[in-house]
Amino acid sequence: KQEVTQIPAALSVPEGENLVLNCSFTDSAIYNLQWFRQDPGKGLTSLLLIQSSQREQTSGRLNASLDKSSGRSTLYIAASQPGDSATYLCADNQGGSEKLVFGKGTKLTVNP
Amino acid sequence: DTGVSQNPRHKITKRGQNVTFRCDPISEHNRLYWYRQTLGQGPEFLTYFQNEAQLEKSRLLSDRFSAERPKGSFSTLEIQRTEQGDSAMYLCASSLDGSGAASYEQYFGPGTRLTVT
């Protein structure tokens, strides 16, 4: 059974800092890995999707990497801003299944 | 707004009542998913449709839960005889059916928050 773990569960940083959020998965036979942002009481906003054949994806200040051999993905946020404060979730799906398996998320607070 | 929409946004019901939620996916997406999220947890998969066919169901989807997508467009999720443990955020997502990264990226709606008293 695929398990996805996100460490740390919560992170507080000062504005302007670069930071890395971690995601690990137990079964390396993933098909895609997707990073989401969730604001309190809201739905999920897709940030980046990395296919299994890719190593990284970038969007603005965000960069996500994927290392299937080690079962890890990281989300790098450059020059953090208070508006980045949210919970960040990673999720993967394996070949043969359309469902996403989610981690519990990392709650990020960026202090002005 | 061309994103995924869900109605209602909030629902409070008494234990034992039936509730129904609706999801309207992005118009060109033929895959539709339901997830459930409780406080402090990531979403958990419930079920998935491709067009009108329900192709995958989680063991979380007990006999009290039923989902339909009759014309391959909007979907409904019904919970019968609600229990307090059903209190959660119910999220709907949609995606394309095709090749390439765009076909796998799931786009989520704002969710329906259910409170069972």
Side-chain angles (χ1 to χ4, degrees), chain B residues 49-68:
Chain B
F49 291 84
Q50 178 145 332
N51 299 312
E52 64 275 10
Q54 189 173 19
L55 298 185
E56 193 172 352
K57 290 197 297 185
S58 163
R59 287 175 296 174
L60 292 175
L61 213 65
S62 75
D63 291 345
R64 296 185 298 106
F65 288 71
S66 63
E68 294 182 343

Side-chain angles (χ1 to χ4, degrees), chain B residues 75-96:
Chain B
S75 175
T76 58
L77 177 68
E78 181 183 16
I79 309 174
Q80 296 182 327
R81 304 181 303 282
T82 53
E83 302 172 355
Q84 287 187 321
D86 297 331
S87 295
M89 175 80 88
Y90 290 83
L91 295 161
C92 176
S94 69
S95 69
L96 285 168

Side-chain angles (χ1 to χ4, degrees), chain A residues 44-92:
Chain A
L44 279 64
T45 300
S46 178
L47 298 173
L48 290 164
L49 179 143
I50 311 175
Q51 289 185 293
S52 61
S53 58
Q54 299 172 324
R55 294 296 300 273
E56 65 179 314
Q57 285 287 330
T58 298
S59 176
R61 295 182 293 108
L62 306 180
N63 175 276
S65 67
L66 175 63
D67 184 345
K68 288 180 60 179
S69 62
S70 65
R72 293 177 60 186
S73 176
T74 60
L75 179 67
Y76 175 83
I77 303 177
S80 58
Q81 303 170 358
D84 295 330
S85 298
T87 295
Y88 291 81
L89 295 148
C90 69
D92 68 29

